[in-house]
């Protein structure tokens, strides 16, 4: 039985999609069967794995409105053991369309629960908001990874997200766990980066992953080639960081 992990933070630009794509690719390289669900209308995880967003016919939008079976929305990627349910800009309309639906926060859960039999891990790349899309992802998930940028405003909004997670646990999904807080965009030369790391570890201790994702030019370049960092430059620091994170997650869950 696979595990569903949402990657969420309502703050934009914290390395959420970078983590979704590269963690998925790293777990795939480590011979786990992976499905990545792009639940962000910007569809960056989709394009970041080399899929033309304009060509997407069946994706997360159709999944949420239950017009296709989950299996029919799955596409192969050029990364080993990694499939994706892609997104399209249409997804931006789904929040309005779901508003009047009964059990609207459980639409994604209903659609993807049967897929747990087919994959070791299902990762959901959430939109940078705490709207209905993110609520659907958290309701469907077993746990959540929260990327935190090693910068001044890092902890701003984290309390709000943790409160949302508590609400989801209470109202919709009492099994939702925090997989871990992931420090991203770390630059060891900056005193500020080190202060943020110390602060987060002091407050959240064991909830923080040992792996820290360092700033890396190759990580920024990879999406423009439609490739994960593993395919683009397996010898880079970014690839090494995400493989380390994948090992940590596998060890924790085994």
């Amino acid at each position: 039985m696979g595990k569903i992990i949402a990657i969420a933070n309502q703050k934009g630009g914290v390395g959420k999609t970078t983590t979704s794509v590269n963690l998925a690719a790293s777990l795939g390289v480590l011979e786990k069967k992976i499905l990545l669900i792009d639940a962000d209308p910007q569809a960056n995880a989709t394009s970041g794995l080399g899929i033309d967003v304009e060509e997407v016919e069946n994706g997360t939008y159709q999944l949420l409105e239950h017009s296709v079976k989950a299996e029919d929305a799955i596409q192969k990627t050029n990364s080993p053991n990694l499939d994706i349910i892609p997104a399209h800009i249409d997804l931006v309309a789904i929040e309005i369309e779901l508003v009047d639906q009964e059990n609207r926060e459980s639409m994604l859960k209903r659609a993807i629960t049967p897929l747990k039999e087919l994959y070791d891990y299902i990762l959901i790349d959430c939109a940078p908001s705490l709207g209905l899309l993110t609520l659907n992802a958290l309701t469907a998930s077993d746990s959540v990874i929260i990327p935190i940028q090693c910068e001044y405003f890092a902890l701003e909004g984290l309390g709000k997200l943790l409160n949302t997670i508590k609400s989801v646990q209470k109202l919709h999904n009492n099994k939702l766990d925090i997989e871990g807080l992931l420090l991203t965009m770390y630059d060891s030369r900056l005193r500020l980066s080190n202060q943020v790391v110390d602060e987060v570890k002091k407050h959240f201790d064991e909830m923080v992953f040992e792996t820290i994702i360092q700033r890396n030019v190759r990580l920024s370049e990879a999406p423009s080639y439609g490739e994960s960092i593993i395919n683009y430059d397996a010898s880079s620091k970014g690839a090494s960081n995400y493989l380390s994170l994948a090992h940590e997650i596998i060890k924790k869950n085994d």
Side-chain angles (χ1 to χ4, degrees), residues 181-198:
L181 307 182
L182 177 67
L183 290 156
T184 63
M185 303 182 193
Y186 173 72
D187 187 338
S188 59
R189 297 166 303 176
L190 298 178
R191 194 169 66 182
L192 181 60
S193 274
N194 292 302
Q195 284 172 341
V196 171
V197 170
D198 292 343

Side-chain angles (χ1 to χ4, degrees), residues 94-143:
I94 201 75
E95 302 226 351
I96 300 159
E97 290 173 24
L98 289 182
V99 159
D100 298 327
Q101 298 282 341
E102 205 176 329
N103 296 325
R104 58 184 183 267
E105 65 288 320
S106 302
M107 292 298 186
L108 188 60
K109 183 177 184 172
R110 273 172 48 202
I112 68 172
T113 298
L115 298 178
K116 288 177 90 169
E117 304 289 339
L118 306 176
Y119 293 94
D120 295 307
Y121 293 97
I122 297 173
L123 303 184
I124 307 175
D125 182 34
C126 297
S129 74
L130 293 178
L132 203 43
L133 271 172
T134 300
L135 185 57
N136 260 273
L138 294 174
T139 302
S141 297
D142 299 304
S143 67

Side-chain angles (χ1 to χ4, degrees), residues 9 11 14 146-159 183-184 196-197 200:
N9 193 328
K11 213 166 156 6
V14 297
I146 304 171
I148 299 174
Q149 192 179 3
C150 291
E151 293 201 350
Y152 182 67
F153 292 114
L155 298 175
E156 193 186 70
L158 183 58
L183 290 156
T184 63
V196 171
V197 170
V200 171

